[in-house]
Structure formats: C-alpha cells, structure tokens
DNA sequence: TGAATGATCGTCT
DNA sequence: GACGATCATTCAA
C-alpha cells in the first residue's frame, strides 16, 4: 500500500519523522527494485531550525526543493561524496523535511551488495544517511522527485512499533546549529542494528 | 570570480 | 579512535 501524497502534507514534521519509522522505502532503477524499512530519521524544522538548509527563510536554487509541497524528495551532496535523502513534508512554502538516516534491507539485497560492494550481512551496508541512500541507488537525479511516482515511493507494510520501541535524541553532525543541536529530533527503532551510532 | 564549508564514510593505525 | 577524500553550494567582493 503506497502512501498517498496527503500523508506528507501533515504539518507536524516531528510526528511524521516518528511515523515514518517502519515504513518501507522503495526505488526502481533500470527495472531493478530495492526496498528497505526506515529505522532512523531526523526532523528538520523549516525556517526556525538552525540546522536546516532553509533556516532564516534562506531561499536559493538548492533549497527551493524544500519549499515544495510535501511528498517530494530532496537529495543533496554532502562532503563532496555522499548523497543524503530527505522527504519534504508539510505544505508549499513551509520548508520542513525528514532525513532518512538508516534502513533495514528488505528487497533486492543482492543489488544493494553490488552497489555497496559489501555483503548484506554487514550492517554498514545501509547504516547512516550516505550509506542508506547509496544502497538504494539514490543520487542527485532523485532530487525533486514525486514520492507517489514509480521511481521512488514509500509503502505502509503495517509495521507498527510500540512507543516504547522508539527512542529520541539529539541529531547527529549539527553542532554548528548551537542551541538547536540539542533538540531531540532524531528518532530511531530501539535496538535495531542498522541504526547508526551516535558519536558524542 | 573565488574561497570556505559541510545533515559523512571508509580506511588505516 | 583519528583522519583524509572531494565537490556542489553559498556568500562575499
């Protein structure tokens, strides 16, 4: 069951970041389908969030994607090497987003092994935002894609985590965001081995 | 036109 | 546990 566009227009990005845990992220590239369960996310709270690219209503060519209506992907290059995949949420001109930080491989593990050049038995294959995106074959050509299309989409497989199985904590790699770096806007599935390590 | 800067990962010790 | 890779984007001039 594919999530409808209306799901992403929810204006509570913190709710969506938690609710997306357990949903299944699919990509289809050259007829090859891969999918993984989302097990770790971070919320980026639009213009008020110092860690967000759209902080202070900074509207540029790159951040323009974030200002789209919910249900659009936002992919950008980090450290010159890694593609990071975000889900744009809320309504038009309200630049909230959820960063997918880790997935648990579900479909097309052999394809992921090829892309990552390592066995699927290693959790590193999709742990961390750069790795998860690469395992799914996501690169900058996926920027500004409609998540209800047939290249990239998210399904609800009725995987429901109890509230006690979800943990929240500070986001990773955003120390420059000062007081906003301490906000508990990172969510993950407790004990899941694909969740990236938090490095204090 | 140019210099600085990351929402990170993998390799090496 | 430390560090180098590597480039689009951004802002200043």
């Amino acid at each position: 069951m594919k999530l409808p566009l209306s799901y992403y227009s929810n204006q509570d990005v913190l709710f969506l970041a938690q609710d997306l845990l357990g949903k299944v992220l699919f990509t289809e590239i050259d007829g090859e389908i891969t999918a993984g369960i989302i097990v770790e996310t971070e919320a980026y709270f639009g213009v008020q969030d110092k860690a967000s690219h759209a902080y202070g209503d900074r509207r540029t060519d790159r951040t323009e994607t974030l200002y789209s209506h919910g249900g659009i992907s936002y992919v950008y290059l980090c450290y010159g090497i890694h593609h990071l995949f975000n889900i744009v949420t809320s309504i038009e001109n309200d630049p909230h987003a959820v960063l997918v930080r880790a997935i648990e491989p579900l479909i097309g593990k052999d394809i992921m092994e090829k892309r990552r050049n390592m066995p699927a038995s290693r959790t590193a294959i999709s742990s961390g935002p750069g790795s998860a995106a690469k395992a799914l074959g996501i690169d900058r050509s996926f920027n500004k894609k409609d998540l209800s299309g047939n290249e990239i989409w998210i399904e609800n497989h009725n995987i429901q985590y109890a509230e006690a199985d979800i943990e929240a904590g500070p986001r990773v790699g955003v120390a420059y965001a000062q007081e906003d770096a301490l906000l508990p806007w990172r969510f993950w599935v407790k004990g899941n081995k694909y969740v990236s390590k938090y490095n204090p």
Side-chain angles (χ1 to χ4, degrees):
Chain A
M1 183 172 109
K2 201 182 282 193
L3 293 174
L5 273 185
S6 58
Y7 174 82
Y8 305 100
S9 60
N10 188 316
Q11 293 184 49
D12 186 349
V13 68
L14 295 176
F15 166 80
L16 278 181
Q18 290 176 74
D19 197 65
L20 280 164
L21 295 174
K23 299 293 188 289
V24 184
L25 176 61
F26 282 76
T27 59
E28 178 171 352
I29 300 166
D30 294 331
E32 297 188 314
I33 292 182
T34 49
I37 304 167
I38 298 172
V39 294
E40 183 180 358
T41 61
E42 276 179 11
Y44 283 85
F45 204 80
V47 298
Q48 306 169 40
D49 182 358
K50 289 189 178 177
S52 166
H53 290 160
Y55 172 65
D57 203 21
R58 192 168 52 185
R59 211 164 172 152
T60 63
D61 287 345
R62 177 175 65 159
T63 61
E64 194 60 30
T65 305
L66 289 169
Y67 287 84
S68 307
H69 63 82
I72 299 287
S73 62
Y74 172 54
V75 181
Y76 86 100
L77 187 66
C78 187
Y79 294 100
I81 303 180
H82 307 288
H83 298 282
L84 271 59
F85 169 70
N86 298 250
I87 299 157
V88 176
T89 69
S90 191
I91 56 175
E92 205 171 337
N93 297 321
D94 194 20
H96 293 191
V98 176
L99 169 70
V100 174
R101 291 191 52 88
I103 61 159
E104 180 176 337
L106 186 66
I107 297 171
K109 290 183 189 175
D110 52 327
I111 300 167
M112 295 188 195
E113 289 182 334
K114 236 185 319 178
R115 286 177 184 149
R116 298 281 292 128
N117 195 27
M118 64 170 70
S121 54
R122 285 213 221 169
T123 55
I125 195 166
S126 60
S127 174
S131 303
K134 192 169 181 192
L136 290 168
I138 293 172
D139 62 22
R140 284 179 47 70
S141 68
F142 279 82
N143 189 36
K144 226 166 185 174
K145 288 270 190 215
D146 199 318
L147 294 177
S148 60
N150 52 15
E151 292 168 282
I152 181 163
W153 68 93
I154 299 175
E155 291 186 10
N156 183 358
H157 284 209
N158 292 316
I159 301 169
Q160 199 73 13
Y161 296 111
E163 204 160 307
D165 290 332
I166 295 178
E167 284 193 293
R171 293 173 295 178
V172 177
V174 295
Y176 63 89
Q178 301 168 34
E179 72 271 18
D180 288 345
L182 302 173
L183 296 165
W185 287 355
R186 171 180 178 239
F187 304 97
W188 66 93
V189 177
K190 202 170 179 175
N192 189 289
K193 59 188 178 178
Y194 291 95
V195 172
S196 62
K197 281 194 193 125
Y198 175 48
N199 306 305

